[in-house]
mmCIF file of all heavy atoms in Angstrom:
data_model
loop_
_atom_site.group_PDB
_atom_site.id
_atom_site.type_symbol
_atom_site.label_atom_id
_atom_site.label_comp_id
_atom_site.label_asym_id
_atom_site.label_seq_id
_atom_site.Cartn_x
_atom_site.Cartn_y
_atom_site.Cartn_z
ATOM 1 N N ARG A 15 -5.727 -29.941 -13.391
ATOM 2 C CA ARG A 15 -4.724 -30.642 -12.581
ATOM 3 C C ARG A 15 -3.837 -31.478 -13.484
ATOM 4 O O ARG A 15 -2.614 -31.518 -13.341
ATOM 5 C CB ARG A 15 -5.416 -31.512 -11.535
ATOM 6 C CG ARG A 15 -4.461 -32.212 -10.588
ATOM 7 C CD ARG A 15 -5.167 -33.118 -9.579
ATOM 8 N NE ARG A 15 -6.181 -32.427 -8.811
ATOM 9 C CZ ARG A 15 -7.479 -32.696 -8.863
ATOM 10 N NH1 ARG A 15 -7.936 -33.654 -9.642
ATOM 11 N NH2 ARG A 15 -8.345 -32.028 -8.138
ATOM 12 N N VAL A 16 -4.434 -32.172 -14.435
ATOM 13 C CA VAL A 16 -3.674 -33.028 -15.349
ATOM 14 C C VAL A 16 -2.878 -32.176 -16.337
ATOM 15 O O VAL A 16 -1.699 -32.410 -16.560
ATOM 16 C CB VAL A 16 -4.618 -33.987 -16.098
ATOM 17 C CG1 VAL A 16 -3.884 -34.724 -17.196
ATOM 18 C CG2 VAL A 16 -5.261 -34.959 -15.132
ATOM 19 N N LEU A 17 -3.521 -31.180 -16.916
ATOM 20 C CA LEU A 17 -2.875 -30.376 -17.963
ATOM 21 C C LEU A 17 -1.705 -29.554 -17.469
ATOM 22 O O LEU A 17 -0.708 -29.401 -18.169
ATOM 23 C CB LEU A 17 -3.892 -29.448 -18.633
ATOM 24 C CG LEU A 17 -4.964 -30.119 -19.481
ATOM 25 C CD1 LEU A 17 -5.931 -29.062 -20.031
ATOM 26 C CD2 LEU A 17 -4.342 -30.907 -20.622
ATOM 27 N N ILE A 18 -1.828 -28.982 -16.267
ATOM 28 C CA ILE A 18 -0.786 -28.047 -15.825
ATOM 29 C C ILE A 18 0.194 -28.638 -14.821
ATOM 30 O O ILE A 18 1.093 -27.934 -14.355
ATOM 31 C CB ILE A 18 -1.370 -26.730 -15.284
ATOM 32 C CG1 ILE A 18 -2.180 -26.965 -14.019
ATOM 33 C CG2 ILE A 18 -2.190 -26.031 -16.339
ATOM 34 C CD1 ILE A 18 -2.712 -25.683 -13.382
ATOM 35 N N ALA A 19 0.057 -29.920 -14.514
ATOM 36 C CA ALA A 19 1.037 -30.555 -13.628
ATOM 37 C C ALA A 19 2.408 -30.471 -14.297
ATOM 38 O O ALA A 19 2.533 -30.695 -15.501
ATOM 39 C CB ALA A 19 0.660 -32.010 -13.372
ATOM 40 N N ASP A 20 3.416 -30.111 -13.532
ATOM 41 C CA ASP A 20 4.764 -29.935 -14.085
ATOM 42 C C ASP A 20 5.215 -31.135 -14.916
ATOM 43 O O ASP A 20 5.783 -30.954 -15.989
ATOM 44 C CB ASP A 20 5.778 -29.665 -12.973
ATOM 45 C CG ASP A 20 5.645 -28.265 -12.412
ATOM 46 O OD1 ASP A 20 5.086 -27.390 -13.093
ATOM 47 O OD2 ASP A 20 6.102 -28.035 -11.268
ATOM 48 N N LYS A 21 4.936 -32.347 -14.425
ATOM 49 C CA LYS A 21 5.377 -33.533 -15.157
ATOM 50 C C LYS A 21 4.600 -33.735 -16.467
ATOM 51 O O LYS A 21 5.068 -34.404 -17.369
ATOM 52 C CB LYS A 21 5.289 -34.771 -14.276
ATOM 53 C CG LYS A 21 3.870 -35.163 -13.921
ATOM 54 C CD LYS A 21 3.845 -36.392 -13.042
ATOM 55 C CE LYS A 21 2.388 -36.764 -12.746
ATOM 56 N NZ LYS A 21 2.280 -37.952 -11.958
ATOM 57 N N ASN A 22 3.400 -33.148 -16.582
ATOM 58 C CA ASN A 22 2.567 -33.341 -17.770
ATOM 59 C C ASN A 22 2.670 -32.223 -18.792
ATOM 60 O O ASN A 22 2.218 -32.378 -19.925
ATOM 61 C CB ASN A 22 1.109 -33.505 -17.359
ATOM 62 C CG ASN A 22 0.876 -34.768 -16.577
ATOM 63 O OD1 ASN A 22 1.659 -35.697 -16.608
ATOM 64 N ND2 ASN A 22 -0.219 -34.800 -15.843
ATOM 65 N N LYS A 23 3.221 -31.071 -18.419
ATOM 66 C CA LYS A 23 3.257 -29.927 -19.346
ATOM 67 C C LYS A 23 3.881 -30.269 -20.692
ATOM 68 O O LYS A 23 3.301 -29.933 -21.727
ATOM 69 C CB LYS A 23 3.965 -28.745 -18.704
ATOM 70 C CG LYS A 23 3.100 -27.978 -17.738
ATOM 71 C CD LYS A 23 3.832 -26.785 -17.173
ATOM 72 C CE LYS A 23 2.987 -26.123 -16.094
ATOM 73 N NZ LYS A 23 3.693 -25.021 -15.453
ATOM 74 N N PRO A 24 5.035 -30.938 -20.732
ATOM 75 C CA PRO A 24 5.609 -31.250 -22.046
ATOM 76 C C PRO A 24 4.678 -32.113 -22.892
ATOM 77 O O PRO A 24 4.564 -31.913 -24.108
ATOM 78 C CB PRO A 24 6.911 -32.015 -21.717
ATOM 79 C CG PRO A 24 7.226 -31.664 -20.320
ATOM 80 C CD PRO A 24 5.918 -31.369 -19.645
ATOM 81 N N TYR A 25 3.992 -33.057 -22.264
ATOM 82 C CA TYR A 25 3.075 -33.944 -23.000
ATOM 83 C C TYR A 25 1.848 -33.177 -23.478
ATOM 84 O O TYR A 25 1.376 -33.397 -24.597
ATOM 85 C CB TYR A 25 2.639 -35.132 -22.121
ATOM 86 C CG TYR A 25 3.804 -35.956 -21.636
ATOM 87 C CD1 TYR A 25 4.141 -35.997 -20.287
ATOM 88 C CD2 TYR A 25 4.598 -36.684 -22.516
ATOM 89 C CE1 TYR A 25 5.213 -36.746 -19.829
ATOM 90 C CE2 TYR A 25 5.664 -37.422 -22.077
ATOM 91 C CZ TYR A 25 5.973 -37.460 -20.728
ATOM 92 O OH TYR A 25 7.051 -38.201 -20.295
ATOM 93 N N SER A 26 1.338 -32.274 -22.637
ATOM 94 C CA SER A 26 0.179 -31.474 -23.029
ATOM 95 C C SER A 26 0.517 -30.600 -24.225
ATOM 96 O O SER A 26 -0.230 -30.544 -25.207
ATOM 97 C CB SER A 26 -0.266 -30.581 -21.866
ATOM 98 O OG SER A 26 -0.690 -31.360 -20.777
ATOM 99 N N ILE A 27 1.659 -29.928 -24.148
ATOM 100 C CA ILE A 27 2.068 -29.052 -25.237
ATOM 101 C C ILE A 27 2.334 -29.852 -26.500
ATOM 102 O O ILE A 27 1.880 -29.485 -27.593
ATOM 103 C CB ILE A 27 3.321 -28.230 -24.826
ATOM 104 C CG1 ILE A 27 2.935 -27.247 -23.709
ATOM 105 C CG2 ILE A 27 3.915 -27.501 -26.016
ATOM 106 C CD1 ILE A 27 4.112 -26.593 -23.020
ATOM 107 N N ALA A 28 3.054 -30.970 -26.374
ATOM 108 C CA ALA A 28 3.349 -31.806 -27.537
ATOM 109 C C ALA A 28 2.076 -32.356 -28.163
ATOM 110 O O ALA A 28 1.952 -32.368 -29.408
ATOM 111 C CB ALA A 28 4.288 -32.940 -27.134
ATOM 112 N N SER A 29 1.127 -32.788 -27.334
ATOM 113 C CA SER A 29 -0.126 -33.343 -27.874
ATOM 114 C C SER A 29 -0.890 -32.305 -28.682
ATOM 115 O O SER A 29 -1.355 -32.593 -29.782
ATOM 116 C CB SER A 29 -1.014 -33.842 -26.727
ATOM 117 O OG SER A 29 -0.390 -34.878 -26.041
ATOM 118 N N VAL A 30 -0.995 -31.108 -28.149
ATOM 119 C CA VAL A 30 -1.702 -30.047 -28.861
ATOM 120 C C VAL A 30 -0.966 -29.698 -30.156
ATOM 121 O O VAL A 30 -1.588 -29.509 -31.207
ATOM 122 C CB VAL A 30 -1.898 -28.796 -27.962
ATOM 123 C CG1 VAL A 30 -2.420 -27.624 -28.760
ATOM 124 C CG2 VAL A 30 -2.837 -29.123 -26.822
ATOM 125 N N ALA A 31 0.357 -29.617 -30.088
ATOM 126 C CA ALA A 31 1.142 -29.300 -31.290
ATOM 127 C C ALA A 31 0.964 -30.388 -32.355
ATOM 128 O O ALA A 31 0.748 -30.072 -33.527
ATOM 129 C CB ALA A 31 2.613 -29.152 -30.917
ATOM 130 N N ILE A 32 1.017 -31.643 -31.947
ATOM 131 C CA ILE A 32 0.860 -32.743 -32.912
ATOM 132 C C ILE A 32 -0.526 -32.726 -33.524
ATOM 133 O O ILE A 32 -0.682 -32.875 -34.738
ATOM 134 C CB ILE A 32 1.158 -34.101 -32.224
ATOM 135 C CG1 ILE A 32 2.661 -34.217 -31.942
ATOM 136 C CG2 ILE A 32 0.670 -35.269 -33.079
ATOM 137 C CD1 ILE A 32 3.029 -35.367 -31.022
ATOM 138 N N ILE A 33 -1.541 -32.522 -32.686
ATOM 139 C CA ILE A 33 -2.910 -32.464 -33.225
ATOM 140 C C ILE A 33 -3.077 -31.287 -34.178
ATOM 141 O O ILE A 33 -3.680 -31.415 -35.248
ATOM 142 C CB ILE A 33 -3.943 -32.396 -32.074
ATOM 143 C CG1 ILE A 33 -3.960 -33.730 -31.323
ATOM 144 C CG2 ILE A 33 -5.335 -32.056 -32.592
ATOM 145 C CD1 ILE A 33 -4.730 -33.690 -30.022
ATOM 146 N N GLY A 34 -2.522 -30.147 -33.807
ATOM 147 C CA GLY A 34 -2.602 -28.958 -34.672
ATOM 148 C C GLY A 34 -1.892 -29.181 -36.004
ATOM 149 O O GLY A 34 -2.430 -28.863 -37.068
ATOM 150 N N ILE A 35 -0.702 -29.742 -35.956
ATOM 151 C CA ILE A 35 0.059 -30.006 -37.196
ATOM 152 C C ILE A 35 -0.663 -31.042 -38.048
ATOM 153 O O ILE A 35 -0.785 -30.868 -39.270
ATOM 154 C CB ILE A 35 1.493 -30.468 -36.850
ATOM 155 C CG1 ILE A 35 2.282 -29.298 -36.258
ATOM 156 C CG2 ILE A 35 2.202 -31.029 -38.077
ATOM 157 C CD1 ILE A 35 3.599 -29.685 -35.607
ATOM 158 N N ALA A 36 -1.155 -32.094 -37.420
ATOM 159 C CA ALA A 36 -1.902 -33.124 -38.160
ATOM 160 C C ALA A 36 -3.133 -32.529 -38.817
ATOM 161 O O ALA A 36 -3.456 -32.846 -39.973
ATOM 162 C CB ALA A 36 -2.285 -34.268 -37.233
ATOM 163 N N SER A 37 -3.819 -31.635 -38.113
ATOM 164 C CA SER A 37 -5.004 -30.975 -38.659
ATOM 165 C C SER A 37 -4.655 -30.146 -39.899
ATOM 166 O O SER A 37 -5.346 -30.211 -40.916
ATOM 167 C CB SER A 37 -5.656 -30.100 -37.590
ATOM 168 O OG SER A 37 -6.786 -29.455 -38.108
ATOM 169 N N VAL A 38 -3.567 -29.407 -39.807
ATOM 170 C CA VAL A 38 -3.129 -28.590 -40.952
ATOM 171 C C VAL A 38 -2.749 -29.485 -42.125
ATOM 172 O O VAL A 38 -3.130 -29.217 -43.276
ATOM 173 C CB VAL A 38 -1.932 -27.672 -40.544
ATOM 174 C CG1 VAL A 38 -1.306 -27.043 -41.763
ATOM 175 C CG2 VAL A 38 -2.415 -26.613 -39.570
#
C-alpha cells in the first residue's frame, strides 16, 4: 500500500536508486 501508492511511487523509486548507487 505504501510502496505503490501513486503519491509514493517517486519516493520509492528514488529511495531504491539512492540506496543502490550508494551501495555501488
Side-chain angles (χ1 to χ4, degrees):
R15 183 182 306 115
V16 172
L17 291 177
I18 65 176
D20 287 339
K21 67 180 181 178
N22 294 341
K23 280 182 186 176
Y25 302 113
S26 297
I27 293 168
S29 297
V30 171
I32 289 168
I33 291 169
I35 291 168
S37 180
V38 169

